[in-house]
Amino acid sequence: MTTPQLLMIEDDQRLAQMVVEYLAQSGFAVTHAGDGAGGMAALERQLPDLVILDLMLPDADGLELCRRIRALPGAAGKVPVLMLTAKGDPMDRIIGLELGADDYLPKPFEPRELLARIRAVLRRRGEGGLAGGAEPARGLRFGSLEIDRDARTVTVAGQAAELTSYQFDLLVAMAERAGRVLTRDQIMEAVRGRELEAFDRSIDVHMGRIRAAIEADPKNPKRILTVRGVGYVFAKQQD
């Protein structure tokens, strides 16, 4: 089995050392960068399986760094980002998710929770995000929308739609259940890993990002519809 490669961008040396040692004992290889410049240099050398990104760095804003990571060639939607922050404001969490973070963990945190979240994100990425043992279709197509599960890509009318790893899994989970109204809890269960934190607003944020990527008019969606008071439904009939 290949050892998962992680990159931790964190200026707190003591915290970073503790996390690196703990994750190493759990089977992960972790590269540590103490600032944004070092983190970007490491990313340009080699893309890891996951980035652990501190929101507050001495030389860079973590939110801006998340944008830059998403803009790296080959990184969009394929390198999950787990954001760490000392800030507890839910708005910071929402902004982080809107900018492309796959998960969010406030400081201080238990190393076991960080480990569980890392495993959940990587599991979603490796399994394609569907619960259950049935072998899913290799590709999904709804009008001009095409989802390639193997390549983990989405195109609309031949144009690539940029989604994070978690957003891709959300889209696949809903597309596999086209026509079925899903509650937020059912959506979180379908992609797994969100049992750690029932944060319904995160689903709404991600749905907004998915709509922006795949809808002709995100404010008047035709593919992912809101069912007021219940959740969402992926429309069977599209363009």
Side-chain angles (χ1 to χ4, degrees):
M1 179 182 293
T2 303
T3 301
Q5 304 293 313
L6 311 182
L7 171 63
M8 184 174 194
I9 307 175
E10 166 65 62
D11 66 317
D12 186 329
Q13 297 292 329
R14 185 174 178 181
L15 173 63
Q17 182 178 356
M18 180 269 291
V19 169
V20 168
E21 292 176 355
Y22 182 82
L23 294 178
Q25 293 172 3
S26 301
F28 294 91
V30 187
T31 299
H32 171 237
D35 55 27
M40 291 304 297
L43 281 161
E44 289 169 359
R45 287 194 299 269
Q46 181 178 358
L47 292 178
D49 294 302
L50 180 142
V51 175
I52 304 169
L53 174 63
D54 185 25
L55 185 62
M56 301 180 69
L57 295 166
D59 65 334
D61 178 80
L63 298 177
E64 176 60 28
L65 204 58
C66 188
R67 285 197 194 96
R68 292 171 61 190
I69 291 172
R70 289 298 177 216
L72 282 173
K78 296 184 179 180
V79 178
V81 176
L82 193 160
M83 192 169 284
L84 302 177
T85 179
K87 295 183 178 180
D89 188 344
M91 186 54 64
D92 290 320
R93 189 179 318 188
I94 291 168
I95 292 172
L97 294 171
E98 287 179 336
L99 291 177
D102 291 84
D103 206 348
Y104 193 110
L105 186 61
K107 299 176 182 177
F109 55 85
E110 288 289 334
R112 288 178 297 177
E113 181 176 3
L114 175 63
L115 175 61
R117 287 179 179 271
I118 290 170
R119 285 175 171 168
V121 170
L122 293 178
R123 183 172 65 242
R124 289 197 303 264
R125 182 189 184 205
E127 296 180 355
L130 282 175
E135 180 68 21
R138 292 172 61 85
L140 298 168
R141 182 165 186 167
F142 299 85
S144 62
L145 173 66
E146 295 187 49
I147 304 171
D148 187 326
R149 295 179 59 90
D150 291 339
R152 293 182 66 80
T153 59
V154 178
T155 58
V156 180
Q159 298 297 311
E162 291 193 3
L163 298 171
T164 68
S165 176
Y166 186 54
Q167 289 158 9
F168 178 86
D169 293 337
L170 283 173
L171 178 60
V172 170
M174 295 195 67
E176 283 287 332
R177 297 159 177 79
R180 175 181 165 188
V181 177
L182 301 172
T183 66
R184 291 172 178 80
D185 286 343
Q186 288 173 324
I187 295 170
M188 288 189 285
E189 174 62 24
V191 296
R192 303 180 181 180
R194 284 289 172 177
E195 69 273 11
L196 293 169
E197 182 180 2
F199 181 34
D200 285 357
R201 178 68 175 121
S202 71
I203 291 295
D204 296 334
V205 171
H206 285 303
M207 288 300 171
R209 297 289 290 180
I210 295 170
R211 282 171 169 164
I214 70 172
E215 299 277 6
D217 180 3
K219 294 183 179 180
N220 183 31
K222 303 297 183 183
R223 305 179 190 279
I224 296 178
L225 310 178
T226 300
V227 181
R228 189 175 299 276
V230 182
Y232 296 92
V233 61
F234 187 89
K236 282 186 176 181
Q237 301 297 325
Q238 303 176 16
D239 47 52

